[in-house]
Amino acid sequence: MKFSILSKGDKKSNDIRSKIKNYLTEFDLDYDEDEPDLSISVGGDGTLLEAFHTYSHRLDKTAFIGIHTGHLGFYADWMPDELEKLIIEIARTPFQVVEYPLLEVTIWPQDEGEEDRYLALNECTIKTSEGSVVFDVEIKGEHFETFRGDGLCVSTPSGSTAYNKALGGAIIHPSLESIQIAEMASINNRVFRTIGSPLILPSHHTCLLKPIYDRSFLITMDHITRTYKDVKSIQCQVAQQKVRFARFRPFPFWKRVHDSFVADDRE
Ligand code: NAP
Ligand code: MN
């Protein structure tokens, strides 16, 4: 089995990285940053998001696991004091995996140029630095509303506890193949109207955003931000691909939600 390790870069994470690398190499596992079967991240959820985007072109071959060093650890749910146990589990391959749905984002330019396609583990947000965003929102090919406001956030089920949660979106179990659209400060008055509630779409529905004015947009996919000018449309849907997390012990989603947001009483 081949593995790679991504560290957040602080001393504690780097020390853990060296320790895992040494132990796993002693167990005859190969370190391979290009084609790992298992990507181990050490830091926090941000580090795991980075690992995900590093290997998003080979999600059928690379599984993920994360150790948190003083960060929230929603995805990165192993603690440094469990390291020995985790190393032994990894060395005892093969491992089980759990699969979570992802978001696919396609951005078409106004000219005849090629579209850009991305996968997101948490969410895509569409904002602007030029006033408010104004776009027509189509759901499953039908006009739904004209949105004016700070922006929209389209999240995956496992990303529903991240940015989406701060916007008043619901927390969705990852067994529900869906995406959630949450508003960021929509303008609502006699003239302008949006639904005002988060929407949850099933896997066979798409959401298409068509900008009305030529503005430049700030489009984020997880921790990555891109600036786009001359956008014709942005499409969001549940991706065909899934992310695979290596699972060495049961840690159910609702327990993870409880420990991250209510109280951590794992002792
Ligand atoms: P960050 O600013 O460090 O992330 C914000 C917080 O979100 C961190 O505590 C992070 O955990 C946590 N987080 C990430 N994914 C999560 C998930 N699926 N469920 C629960 N918490 C989660 O930036 P980052 O670490 O690069 O992460 C990027 C993410 O930040 C974006 O995908 C977006 O979801 C989130 N974000 C949130 C807001 C907001 O809530 N207002 C604004 C912008 C971005 P760690 O400390 O373990 O990294
Ligand atoms: Mn972070």
Side-chain angles (χ1 to χ4, degrees):
M1 205 213 26
K2 294 180 286 189
F3 69 100
S4 68
I5 313 175
L6 182 68
S7 161
K8 184 177 158 64
D10 58 297
K11 184 170 185 310
K12 186 172 181 188
S13 305
N14 285 345
D15 288 351
I16 292 178
R17 181 182 185 276
S18 323
K19 196 168 165 186
I20 303 175
K21 194 172 173 180
N22 291 341
Y23 276 118
L24 288 182
T25 315
E26 273 172 32
F27 277 115
D28 272 343
L29 273 62
D30 299 319
Y31 189 80
D32 184 340
E33 285 187 358
D34 296 325
E35 296 184 331
D37 302 302
L38 182 66
S39 155
I40 305 168
S41 48
V42 187
D45 291 326
T47 320
L48 197 139
L49 289 172
E50 216 180 305
F52 169 81
H53 285 273
T54 306
Y55 300 113
S56 61
H57 60 286
R58 57 186 327 274
L59 294 178
D60 53 333
K61 301 191 188 74
T62 301
F64 298 86
I65 190 154
I67 297 157
H68 65 102
T69 49
H71 289 264
L72 180 69
F74 192 78
Y75 291 117
D77 56 12
W78 284 80
M79 309 226 278
D81 63 8
E82 301 174 294
L83 214 56
E84 266 97 50
K85 186 174 166 231
L86 179 61
I87 288 167
I88 292 165
E89 291 290 344
I90 294 174
R92 234 198 247 153
T93 56
F95 49 81
Q96 282 194 323
V97 295
V98 279
E99 294 187 331
Y100 283 178
L102 295 169
L103 166 70
E104 183 185 282
V105 183
T106 314
I107 305 170
W108 279 279
Q110 271 169 7
D111 55 32
E112 295 305 301
E114 291 250 317
E115 71 268 23
D116 283 343
R117 213 173 281 270
Y118 300 96
L119 287 176
L121 176 54
N122 271 348
E123 77 283 289
C124 166
T125 68
I126 302 103
K127 305 183 243 191
T128 182
S129 54
E130 303 167 16
S132 45
V133 299
V134 185
F135 35 62
D136 278 326
V137 180
E138 277 181 14
I139 295 178
K140 215 184 166 210
E142 299 279 340
H143 181 261
F144 183 76
E145 66 184 12
T146 302
F147 181 90
R148 288 179 175 77
D150 283 1
L152 285 175
C153 169
V154 184
S155 59
T156 64
S158 60
S160 66
T161 49
Y163 206 155
N164 168 75
K165 186 174 183 296
L167 298 169
I171 298 182
I172 313 250
H173 194 276
S175 62
L176 301 169
E177 288 189 16
S178 54
I179 53 172
Q180 177 166 195
I181 309 168
E183 297 184 349
M184 295 176 190
S186 57
I187 303 174
N188 268 287
N189 54 35
R190 228 161 2 104
V191 188
F192 305 134
R193 177 86 28 227
T194 66
I195 185 74
S197 317
L199 303 177
I200 296 165
L201 306 192
S203 59
H204 59 294
H205 290 191
T206 55
C207 161
L208 191 69
L209 310 175
K210 292 178 166 169
I212 292 179
Y213 304 121
D214 282 338
R215 296 225 164 114
S216 79
F217 292 94
L218 296 171
I219 303 182
T220 71
M221 263 69 57
D222 300 335
H223 59 298
I224 301 159
T225 305
R226 296 256 150 83
T227 306
Y228 273 90
K229 276 188 164 58
D230 307 319
V231 176
K232 183 171 150 207
S233 58
I234 302 161
Q235 179 183 274
C236 295
Q237 63 186 12
V238 175
Q240 301 255 306
Q241 299 96 316
K242 291 195 162 194
V243 62
R244 294 153 59 242
F245 291 104
R247 183 178 182 268
F248 298 105
R249 59 153 185 233
F251 194 1
F253 182 76
W254 294 122
K255 169 120 181 81
R256 226 143 8 101
V257 171
H258 167 270
D259 289 357
S260 297
F261 298 104
V262 186
D264 187 351
D265 42 27
R266 274 178 284 179
E267 291 302 294

